[in-house]
Amino acid sequence: MSSLKDKIDFGRLPQHVAVIMDGNGRWAKEQGKMRIFGHQNGVAAVRAVSEACAELGVKYLTLYAFSTENWNRSKIEVDALMKLLSKTIAEEVKTLNDNNIRLNAIGDLTRLPKYNYDALMKAIEDTKNNDRMTLTLCLSYSGRWEITHAVRSLAEKVLSGELKLEQIDENCFSNFLNTKDMPDPELLIRTSGEERISNFLLWQLAYSEFYFTDKFWPDFNKEDLYEAIVNYQNR
Ligand code: FPP
C-alpha cells in the first residue's frame, strides 16, 4: 500500500512540530459516549503521532494536552483527564525509553494534583538521557501565562541588577520562556476544523506554518501526520 511517507523530503523535515489536539469531546458525542471516552481514545493518536515523528527524525514534538482554560471544565472531566494523563505517562515510560524519546513538560505544573505532578516528574527523570526526540506535554499551559511568567522573572533580574535594560532583546526574552532550549515550531497542526491559536505557543508560533484538518483528534493517524508534513513542504 502506498504511503504519503514516500512523498516526504527528509532533507527538509520540520525540526519541531506542535499540535493542538482538538475534538475529543465531539468525537465521543458522535458515538453517544461521555467526553472522557474521547480523551481515552485520543491517547492512541498521541502514541501514533509520537512514533511517526520519532521514526521520521523530527527532533521536537510539542502537544497541547491541557490548557489553563481547561481548568474551567467540569470537575468530573478535569479529574478524569488528570487520572488519564498520569496513568498514560506511567504506562508509556518503557516505550519512551525503548524508542530513545525524552519526555518534557511545560506550563504551570504547580497547579497539577500531586499524584499527577509526581508521575510526570518521575517519567521526566527516567527519560532524561534520551536524545532521539523530545516530547513536550503542555499541561496547565497557556501562551499568555508563559509570557507573563517570563516577564516577572525578567523584571526580577533587572531589579536585582543581574540584567540591564539594554540587554533585553528578543533573544534574551526567549531565554525566559519555558521553551528556551527548543527551536520554534516550523509547523503547527490543529485538528477538528477549528482554526484558532487558542492561547498556545504565542511567542514561538510567530513564523510557523499552520495546518488544519477536519478530523477529530482520536481519528488522527500516522498518514494524517505525513499529509501535514507533505503539505508543509509544498508551501
Ligand atoms: C481537546 O479536545 C483535547 C484535550 C483538552 C485533552 C487532550 C488529551 C488527550 C489526547 C489525552 C491524553 C494525552 C496525553 C498527552 C497522554 P476537546 O475536549 O476540547 O474536544 P471538543 O472540542 O470536541 O470538546
Side-chain angles (χ1 to χ4, degrees):
M1 210 179 78
S2 83
S3 165
L4 281 164
K5 193 177 181 179
D6 303 332
K7 295 214 163 71
I8 294 176
D9 174 354
F10 284 83
R12 291 192 302 119
L13 265 187
Q15 273 198 87
H16 185 173
V17 175
V19 186
I20 302 181
M21 311 182 287
D22 199 7
N24 293 350
R26 278 164 284 164
W27 184 89
K29 193 173 175 201
E30 269 188 359
Q31 332 213 356
K33 298 271 172 55
M34 305 270 287
R35 296 178 57 81
I36 190 63
F37 185 70
H39 300 315
Q40 283 161 351
N41 282 274
V43 174
V46 170
R47 227 177 264 129
V49 168
S50 306
E51 206 176 280
C53 283
E55 283 166 2
L56 290 174
V58 170
K59 297 304 287 180
Y60 298 89
L61 172 64
T62 300
L63 304 177
Y64 207 0
F66 193 88
S67 72
T68 309
E69 290 80 10
N70 286 159
W71 288 116
N72 299 324
R73 293 192 176 184
S74 74
K75 184 170 166 8
I76 293 180
E77 186 176 354
V78 171
D79 287 351
L81 256 174
M82 289 297 139
K83 286 207 181 81
L84 177 66
L85 281 163
S86 41
K87 178 172 166 274
T88 307
I89 289 164
E91 280 172 1
E92 297 297 324
V93 170
K94 185 174 180 313
T95 311
L96 291 172
N97 278 330
D98 288 348
N99 290 285
N100 196 11
I101 299 171
R102 184 171 76 98
L103 185 72
N104 177 36
I106 63 172
D108 191 358
L109 306 179
T110 58
R111 287 185 73 182
L112 298 172
K114 188 173 180 314
Y115 74 87
N116 186 301
Y117 179 85
D118 290 348
L120 189 63
M121 288 306 133
K122 181 164 183 341
I124 289 173
E125 176 64 24
D126 291 349
T127 61
K128 70 173 180 208
N129 295 320
N130 298 338
D131 60 4
R132 183 181 181 200
M133 182 178 85
T134 299
L135 170 63
T136 300
L137 301 183
C138 303
L139 293 166
S140 189
Y141 174 88
S142 74
R144 286 187 178 181
W145 168 82
E146 184 188 30
I147 290 170
T148 311
H149 192 74
V151 169
R152 277 192 187 207
S153 314
L154 190 137
E156 257 172 28
K157 290 235 182 308
V158 173
L159 284 175
S160 70
E162 279 174 82
L163 190 70
K164 292 195 179 65
L165 269 186
E166 311 79 74
Q167 289 175 295
I168 302 173
D169 57 15
E170 287 186 14
N171 187 39
C172 164
F173 182 75
S174 63
N175 277 315
F176 285 87
L177 296 170
N178 285 206
T179 50
K180 64 177 158 51
D181 300 318
M182 296 184 226
D184 289 340
E186 295 96 327
L187 171 62
L188 168 77
I189 298 172
R190 181 168 188 159
T191 57
S192 91
E194 305 297 345
E195 302 189 350
R196 297 184 299 275
I197 198 166
S198 295
N199 215 346
F200 196 31
L201 304 160
L202 294 179
W203 174 276
Q204 298 85 342
L205 293 171
Y207 299 105
S208 313
E209 296 291 337
F210 288 13
Y211 176 84
F212 301 110
T213 167
D214 286 340
K215 276 205 175 181
F216 292 141
W217 178 249
D219 287 331
F220 195 84
N221 58 32
K222 284 188 174 190
E223 282 300 315
D224 296 313
L225 191 265
Y226 302 149
E227 189 173 326
I229 293 180
V230 170
N231 180 291
Y232 154 82
Q233 290 186 333
N234 285 336
R235 295 189 190 182

